[in-house]
Amino acid sequence: SLLSTKNPSNLLNWQQIQQSVPRRADFEDPIVRLISCQDEEEQTALVSELQPYLAYSDVSLMCMQVLDAELRKLATSSNKLESINYRIRHANIERLLLAFNFPKRLTRQDRLLLQKTQPESDSRCHSFWSKQSEFYSQLQKKLMSISQLRKQYGKLWRRYLDCPLPVGNKSKQLCSLLVLLNDRVLGLLTNAMQLADFIMSAFESNNVEVGMAATPCVFHLVFNYSLDYGPLFDRLYQLVSLSGLMSPYRGRFYRQLDLILTATNISTARIAAFAKRLAALCLLAPCYCQPMLIGLVLNLLRRHKKCQYLVHRQAEDDEDVKEANEKLNGSGGSNEFSMSISLTEAEAASPGYSLWELRVLQRHWELSVGQMAKKINRALSVVEDFCDKQVVERDWDQVCEDLLPDCLKQAEALKESGYASDEEVDPAVDGDELLKQLDGWC
């Protein structure tokens, strides 16, 4: 047996296995033990032990073959979703899949540069066993290159995604899985279109949070693989909603939305419709999300100069507004904006829109929101990144912490000026009654 006998906590006796003839059966028991491990710390230690050896093509190939067989077994046991064993095996297989780490995919420019600097470079991985072994010669005949390992790795992920998620908060599990795909998986595959069905089904789901988490994956497929998805902008328009601002994935979504709307082939009416929806959402959004939304509107106006009629309407624009209103009235439509209308309706009414919301937000009680809205009064020239981590990940607790020192200073100033009442607060007053009064003032 090639299992470690000196230390039972180890996965394999690597010195002994390197001197013997490699067989796939030698990896079956250790991988099954790793997948079935119920102790999270022990499972993490076993994966950490195996991960350095996964850099060898032969070890990776054998582990992938064993994983493929285990995934087939997991798919057949999908009728036991409520069992703890299925949940543990599902999570452990995901950790093991993430342990594979291939070199970064080279672009065409990188390949040309490598041919000049390293003309004798080889794309094959190194072998763990000695060159005298019979398995090494067979491996050389198969030409196990990095691209072929990536292809096999993509098949494993497709088989894993076909397995249903365990019973629980499936939307949360699905969102975390989509984040992992975008950050650590899609860039390693030779053809990420293998996972397009799973990604697009999540993007089209009725759950707004899942759709926002899937947006970076969709952008990866559109940008790198020229995915032709007709209703892309319609779905993005729907995801710009108040419920989406409560999602922890709002930063990822609005950053990708900002990148997608940089395309120059998008019509002016469509850009105006997105700008109006973002501006209208600013009035409903929490104050910690408003600077980000205002920044996105400003970036749209900076990149697409023809949309600046939304904030600065000239005399010749009035005729366009009249023509648009006549068309809408003749077709039974309206130029009044509503968050419930579709993108097509918003595009038709866009000539009559104006971003009056930015004017209102210039007098916002939150200083950062007012300063951001006042940038519209200056020349719009430089595109800025308003989706940084500090702005996106703020919440009410951080806002209150930032405002508390200023509120205390204002209260002390009012007290010194004699504005505060000399009457002391009656301790018998119910606190709930005071909260109701405060709610009425707000």
Side-chain angles (χ1 to χ4, degrees):
S1 174
L2 297 176
L3 291 172
S4 178
T5 55
K6 296 182 179 180
N7 190 355
S9 62
N10 291 345
L11 190 65
L12 282 170
N13 188 342
W14 295 101
Q15 294 181 355
Q16 184 180 354
I17 195 175
Q18 191 173 18
Q19 298 173 0
S20 62
V21 177
R23 296 176 302 174
R24 172 186 164 184
D26 297 332
F27 283 84
E28 290 181 355
D29 291 340
I31 296 297
V32 171
R33 172 192 168 192
L34 191 151
I35 293 174
S36 304
C37 182
Q38 299 185 7
D39 189 357
E40 186 174 353
E41 295 182 0
E42 181 183 355
Q43 200 268 348
T44 303
L46 295 177
V47 171
S48 301
E49 177 191 343
L50 179 63
Q51 190 169 12
Y53 297 95
L54 292 176
Y56 299 103
S57 60
D58 37 22
V59 176
S60 295
L61 178 61
M62 288 189 174
C63 291
M64 287 181 182
Q65 291 175 351
V66 177
L67 265 177
D68 185 68
E70 292 299 318
L71 283 171
R72 293 175 186 272
K73 295 179 182 178
L74 188 70
T76 57
S77 61
S78 59
N79 56 345
K80 302 178 181 179
L81 298 179
E82 298 180 358
S83 63
I84 299 178
N85 186 29
Y86 181 86
R87 190 181 309 161
I88 292 174
R89 290 167 61 84
H90 191 275
N92 290 343
I93 288 177
E94 179 182 310
R95 294 193 189 99
L96 186 55
L97 285 172
L98 293 174
F100 289 91
N101 188 15
F102 305 105
K104 183 182 177 182
R105 287 186 62 198
L106 300 179
T107 61
R108 185 177 182 183
Q109 185 177 2
D110 295 335
R111 292 194 188 97
L112 293 175
L113 183 62
L114 284 176
Q115 289 177 3
K116 295 179 181 179
T117 57
Q118 301 176 2
E120 298 181 357
S121 62
D122 191 1
S123 62
R124 287 189 294 270
C125 298
H126 299 287
S127 176
F128 178 68
W129 283 272
S130 61
K131 294 185 179 181
Q132 289 77 17
S133 66
E134 181 181 356
F135 181 77
Y136 183 81
S137 59
Q138 296 177 359
L139 188 67
Q140 293 294 93
K141 293 179 181 179
K142 293 181 180 180
L143 294 176
M144 285 305 300
S145 62
I146 296 176
S147 61
Q148 289 174 317
L149 286 176
R150 284 202 186 102
K151 186 177 181 180
Q152 183 69 19
Y153 185 63
K155 292 180 180 179
L156 287 178
W157 268 104
R158 185 174 60 182
R159 194 176 296 279
Y160 172 74
L161 295 177
D162 289 339
C163 298
L165 294 172
V167 174
N169 191 349
K170 291 192 176 182
S171 62
K172 186 177 181 180
Q173 297 176 25
L174 188 56
C175 289
S176 60
L177 184 57
L178 290 166
V179 171
L180 287 176
L181 288 178
N182 179 70
D183 294 346
R184 301 178 60 179
V185 178
L186 294 181
L188 300 178
L189 305 181
T190 55
N191 185 12
M193 292 296 291
Q194 301 177 82
L195 312 181
D197 293 339
F198 175 81
I199 293 172
M200 299 313 299
S201 62
F203 184 64
E204 296 172 352
S205 65
N206 296 327
N207 193 316
V208 175
E209 187 171 343
V210 174
M212 296 179 73
T215 300
C217 299
V218 175
F219 179 77
H220 181 89
L221 297 179
V222 171
F223 184 77
N224 295 291
Y225 297 92
S226 302
L227 175 66
D228 187 12
Y229 182 65
L232 173 64
F233 289 99
D234 296 271
R235 180 56 179 160
L236 292 174
Y237 191 80
Q238 295 174 1
L239 292 176
V240 179
S241 59
L242 182 61
S243 59
L245 294 176
M246 310 303 170
S247 170
Y249 308 102
R250 62 179 182 270
R252 290 172 170 267
F253 170 75
Y254 284 103
R255 185 177 290 109
Q256 296 299 326
L257 180 65
D258 191 33
L259 290 174
I260 292 173
L261 294 179
T262 56
T264 57
N265 58 347
I266 304 177
S267 64
T268 303
R270 180 163 293 180
I271 295 296
F274 272 97
K276 181 62 178 179
R277 188 174 180 89
L278 289 168
L281 187 61
C282 286
L283 299 180
L284 306 174
C287 64
Y288 54 85
C289 294
Q290 288 174 334
M292 175 188 66
L293 297 175
I294 297 173
L296 291 173
V297 174
L298 296 180
N299 280 347
L300 290 178
L301 297 177
R302 288 185 178 100
R303 295 190 183 102
H304 305 273
K305 302 296 183 182
K306 294 182 179 180
C307 291
Q308 292 190 5
Y309 72 87
L310 295 171
V311 293
H312 180 67
R313 193 178 301 279
Q314 298 179 357
E316 56 268 18
D317 296 331
D318 295 336
E319 297 180 359
D320 299 335
V321 174
K322 292 179 180 178
E323 293 179 1
N325 289 338
E326 291 176 358
K327 291 181 181 179
L328 287 171
N329 294 331
S331 60
S334 174
N335 62 348
E336 295 183 1
F337 180 80
S338 174
M339 294 292 290
S340 60
I341 64 176
S342 63
L343 178 59
T344 305
E345 297 172 343
E347 289 178 359
S350 60
Y353 288 158
S354 64
L355 300 182
W356 56 267
E357 294 88 354
L358 297 181
R359 186 73 173 180
V360 174
L361 291 171
Q362 290 179 1
R363 298 185 178 183
H364 198 277
W365 61 271
E366 171 68 22
L367 185 61
S368 61
V369 177
Q371 291 177 349
M372 185 70 71
K374 289 179 181 178
K375 289 186 178 182
I376 196 67
N377 299 330
R378 300 193 293 269
L380 299 174
S381 57
V382 181
V383 178
E384 302 180 21
D385 180 17
F386 296 103
C387 289
D388 57 349
K389 188 174 182 180
Q390 295 179 354
V391 174
V392 172
E393 296 186 357
R394 292 185 74 195
D395 53 15
W396 277 114
D397 294 336
Q398 295 177 357
V399 171
C400 293
E401 289 178 3
D402 296 340
L403 293 177
L404 184 59
D406 295 336
C407 293
L408 293 177
K409 290 181 181 179
Q410 293 178 6
E412 292 177 358
L414 291 173
K415 186 175 181 180
E416 292 176 358
S417 63
Y419 178 80
S421 175
D422 295 335
E423 298 180 1
E424 296 183 357
V425 178
D426 186 3
V429 175
D430 188 8
D432 295 336
E433 187 66 26
L434 290 176
L435 290 176
K436 290 180 181 179
Q437 296 177 8
L438 290 175
D439 292 338
W441 294 340
C442 296

